[in-house]
Amino acid sequence: MKRTDDYRAKLELWAGEGRVLPMPRAEGIPSFECKRFTSGAEMNVWKKELLAEIARRGGVRWTN
């Protein structure tokens, strides 16, 4: 088995590297608060509206 196929071996490789890589940040996502939904359909409507707002703003850009 290759090391890349073994999940535990991957973690050992990553942990042994010893350096922290910067995570990319997403810019262009509208701010929103915690929401509770009474159904999955209600959540899907909210998600569709959020995605439409992101599209109106020109999409999401990844930065370092």
Side-chain angles (χ1 to χ4, degrees):
M1 178 187 311
K2 296 187 298 186
R3 286 189 78 127
T4 56
D5 294 337
D6 182 12
Y7 185 73
R8 188 179 199 110
K10 283 183 187 181
L11 292 177
E12 289 172 3
L13 284 171
W14 293 334
E17 182 63 29
R19 64 182 174 139
V20 177
L21 299 173
M23 295 296 292
R25 291 182 1 168
E27 292 181 352
I29 298 176
S31 62
F32 56 89
E33 297 177 1
C34 178
K35 294 187 174 283
R36 296 193 187 275
F37 303 101
T38 57
S39 68
E42 184 181 341
M43 181 183 70
N44 288 335
V45 169
W46 174 81
K47 285 194 306 186
K48 188 177 272 190
E49 291 172 358
L50 182 66
L51 291 172
E53 177 63 26
I54 290 171
R56 275 194 294 279
R57 292 180 175 204
V60 176
R61 291 163 303 284
W62 292 96
T63 63
N64 287 348

